[in-house]
Amino acid sequence: MAGLEVAFACFRGGITTPQDAVVCLLHTELIRRGFRCVGGGEQPRGDDKPSELLPSDWSSSKEVYTLRYQGNGGTPVLLVKAVTDDTSPATLLFNLVSTSTQEVMDLTVNLVEHVDAEQLQVFDRVFRDEADLVRQVHARLLSFPGGAAEPRAAEERRSRREEEEVEEERRRRRREDRDPLRLPPRHPNMQPHWWVGGNDPMVPPFSVGGADLDPFGSHGGGGMILDPLRSGFPRSGFDPSSGIPGILPPGAVPPGARFDPFGPVGRPGPDPDHLPPPGYDDMFM
């Protein structure tokens, strides 16, 4: 659990029994969820001050632990009481009371099962199953509604959701950048993701079918869309806005407008008798 090792190092001098270690773990989880410890005992005192540290006398009694916490904004106040039961197996009984809702949560921790009493000063070995103990704390003590832990958890969920949305947007953009059919390409000079090798995919014979992938000719090789006025071939000085005798009157095409010729301009049409079909003058045809 994040922060537990630091807390364990800070409070090591007060950790002399298995129940001390478990109380330290619960305190760390409450701090991580946004609570601050305001002191020991059941009643508020004049020197109460929210802190991430435990009171100096937090483990003076190995039989009963009483700590008070408050959430963001000063409310609600949580009263945590832990009582040691020395019967076999030794257990630690937790009661957590929210003063705002009067809701009571409880948890019983088997000390022998979760704490190695011979390794109390070695953080890596003191807890036998830290993950399971943290899970029980979440499920039995910190699941109450209306507490400061709820907004904290909601904020964490919202932050994770926003991070997931940002990452999904990045993945979507990467997919679009790699899509060879996307027009216009975001990176015209970037080779497609499916191209492996040192050859230029736009140079024959690798460019076969390239016009289908690049219809606008953004790579300079020409596309699949025919634009007679932008084909690159020499153009005559014909101005469609001046009209075409016998076809279009002057001004029919606005100056500068695109005009696709619908017939040979300035050239006579074909002779009707030019290249007649064989036998065209045969009366039996």
Side-chain angles (χ1 to χ4, degrees):
M1 181 178 67
L4 179 58
E5 184 174 3
V6 175
F8 191 84
C10 291
F11 309 129
R12 179 172 290 148
I15 300 177
T16 58
T17 62
Q19 54 266 35
D20 293 335
V22 177
V23 171
C24 179
L25 182 144
L26 174 61
H27 169 81
T28 304
E29 187 58 28
L30 285 168
I31 296 301
R32 196 176 72 86
R33 297 289 294 271
F35 293 97
R36 295 295 180 267
C37 184
V38 293
E42 297 186 12
Q43 300 300 324
R45 293 182 290 189
D47 59 347
D48 284 348
K49 182 179 179 181
S51 173
E52 294 185 7
L53 301 177
L54 284 165
S56 58
D57 59 347
W58 69 277
S59 62
S60 58
S61 171
K62 305 301 181 180
E63 303 298 325
V64 179
Y65 302 80
T66 305
L67 298 169
R68 286 174 291 110
Y69 294 83
Q70 72 177 30
N72 297 325
T75 55
V77 174
L78 303 180
L79 177 61
V80 177
K81 179 174 286 190
V83 179
T84 304
D85 184 356
D86 292 329
T87 59
S88 182
T91 57
L92 186 62
L93 310 177
F94 281 102
N95 278 324
L96 183 149
V97 181
S98 172
T99 58
S100 62
T101 63
Q102 298 302 314
E103 185 166 0
V104 179
M105 310 294 289
D106 62 83
L107 170 66
T108 300
V109 178
N110 186 318
L111 295 176
V112 177
E113 182 179 325
H114 289 92
V115 181
D116 187 346
E118 302 298 327
Q119 302 291 338
L120 292 176
Q121 298 300 310
V122 183
F123 173 75
D124 293 339
R125 300 179 181 178
V126 61
F127 296 106
R128 300 184 188 276
D129 192 348
E130 177 186 332
D132 180 65
L133 184 55
V134 171
R135 182 189 58 80
Q136 292 186 43
V137 168
H138 287 182
R140 301 297 301 273
L141 293 181
L142 303 182
S143 60
F144 63 93
E150 281 273 313
R152 178 76 174 186
E155 180 181 350
E156 293 178 354
R157 289 194 297 269
R158 182 169 59 254
S159 178
R160 288 195 298 269
R161 184 169 59 252
E162 291 174 354
E163 292 177 358
E164 292 172 356
E165 291 174 353
V166 170
E167 182 60 28
E168 177 60 28
E169 178 65 16
R170 291 175 180 171
R171 288 195 294 266
R172 184 186 67 80
R173 291 182 178 179
R174 286 196 294 267
R175 288 195 299 267
E176 291 178 351
D177 290 344
R178 292 195 300 263
D179 187 356
L181 299 180
R182 179 175 174 79
L183 298 174
R186 290 178 178 269
H187 307 291
N189 296 325
M190 181 181 294
Q191 292 183 349
H193 72 283
W194 42 264
W195 181 256
V196 179
N199 296 317
D200 187 351
M202 294 305 166
V203 174
F206 305 102
S207 61
V208 174
D212 295 333
L213 300 178
D214 186 21
F216 291 103
S218 60
H219 288 83
M224 60 184 291
I225 298 179
L226 176 62
D227 186 349
L229 299 183
R230 297 173 175 82
S231 62
F233 294 100
R235 296 171 52 192
S236 65
F238 168 69
D239 183 6
S241 63
S242 62
I244 302 177
I247 300 178
L248 286 177
V253 178
R258 172 172 172 166
F259 175 72
D260 295 331
F262 46 79
V265 179
R267 299 181 181 179
D271 189 330
D273 294 331
H274 182 65
L275 294 178
Y280 77 97
D281 56 350
D282 188 344
M283 62 178 296
F284 297 103
M285 288 293 290

